[in-house]
Amino acid sequence: MAITKNQISEFFRTILSGGDATLEGKLHPTIIWMAADTVLGGLVQEAMRKDQKSNGYDINGSFLSTFTIDVLNNTSRGEKYSVLPYSVISLRDNRGLHRVSAIGSPEFSFTQVSNGSHDIFRILDAHYLNTHTEFYQEGNKLFYRNIGKAIDKVLVKAVFSITGLGGDEPIAIPSSEEDEFLDRIQQRLMPQVVSPQDKTNDSNPNTLQQ
């Protein structure tokens, strides 16, 4: 069974605080979720490096979440766009945003271009522009070029940030990686619950060990 955002925060607040209300107060859920985002990004990057089929660019599908989102019209800019449901985990070459495609044709994904290149498109002669759909990301929005007039929804596959998920939504992660995922989060959170006195005692050779 997949773990959820709320389960992670409750688990670590209970385990690491040991019932100490003072320590539990140091472990605000947002701190836990940010640590989880960092660990998740690291696990995805490692999995990509291990994958030799696509020169380290393929992502295990178990890390991906899939959403259908609306295509809207920005009349002031004369562009069509969509709003992402959550923030995307930052990976090299923007690989966190894995695929955007038309509904019914997931195998024909749109091409992602860098933000700013749309300005170049506007001044090029139409003869040099291909008809393949391209998009660029601007914050939490995707802007399209050459998208079909009949397309009113798109399919998005991405590694989404845990911080933005709903509390009861499952975190997309392979079951084989769950233990490692939790262990690494705990390692990142430990400095939050170690008090100055604990550090002093740990470094004091005269401190009695029970």
Side-chain angles (χ1 to χ4, degrees):
M1 181 178 178
I3 52 179
T4 68
K5 174 180 170 179
N6 279 348
Q7 287 175 334
I8 281 183
S9 60
E10 289 303 315
F11 174 76
F12 285 110
R13 293 188 80 191
T14 301
I15 296 299
L16 295 181
S17 69
D20 187 324
T22 302
L23 292 180
E24 189 170 335
K26 294 181 179 180
L27 292 169
H28 190 278
T30 301
I31 294 174
I32 297 173
W33 299 330
M34 290 176 65
D37 273 342
T38 300
V39 171
L40 178 61
L43 288 174
V44 175
Q45 296 276 35
E46 290 175 16
M48 289 169 65
R49 286 195 292 268
K50 291 177 183 178
D51 191 317
Q52 300 300 314
K53 295 179 181 179
S54 303
N55 296 319
Y57 275 90
D58 203 20
I59 296 180
N60 184 326
S62 296
F63 284 114
L64 300 171
S65 296
T66 303
F67 287 91
T68 299
I69 57 178
D70 294 329
V71 174
L72 308 171
N73 189 32
N74 186 317
T75 54
S76 63
R77 293 172 56 161
E79 294 179 277
K80 289 191 174 183
Y81 72 99
S82 296
V83 180
L84 291 169
Y86 307 113
S87 298
V88 176
I89 289 287
S90 178
L91 299 175
R92 69 176 188 180
D93 300 323
N94 297 319
R95 291 287 167 172
L97 188 57
H98 183 64
R99 178 172 295 172
V100 180
S101 60
I103 301 296
S105 302
E107 69 277 13
F108 298 114
S109 59
F110 302 161
T111 300
Q112 184 172 8
V113 296
S114 61
N115 190 351
S117 59
H118 58 292
D119 293 324
I120 297 175
F121 295 149
R122 289 173 177 169
I123 63 175
L124 290 176
D125 189 296
H127 175 74
Y128 296 100
L129 299 178
N130 59 47
T131 57
H132 187 73
T133 302
E134 296 175 319
F135 72 93
Y136 64 94
Q137 185 175 354
E138 190 174 284
N140 68 333
K141 296 179 180 178
L142 305 179
F143 287 88
Y144 306 103
R145 188 178 71 85
N146 293 332
I147 190 168
K149 293 181 179 180
I151 297 177
D152 59 0
K153 294 181 184 296
V154 294
L155 195 69
V156 174
K157 289 188 176 184
V159 183
F160 287 108
S161 166
I162 294 168
T163 303
L165 293 176
D168 294 324
E169 289 191 65
I171 296 169
I173 187 170
S175 57
S176 60
E177 297 282 1
E178 285 186 1
D179 288 343
E180 182 68 17
F181 177 59
L182 296 174
D183 285 345
R184 293 192 189 186
I185 294 173
Q186 181 167 341
Q187 291 171 19
R188 296 190 68 86
L189 292 174
M190 282 305 296
Q192 299 287 338
V193 298
V194 176
S195 68
Q197 185 62 45
D198 291 333
K199 294 179 180 178
T200 300
N201 290 341
D202 288 343
S203 62
N204 187 346
N206 296 320
T207 300
L208 293 177
Q209 302 294 322
Q210 298 297 326

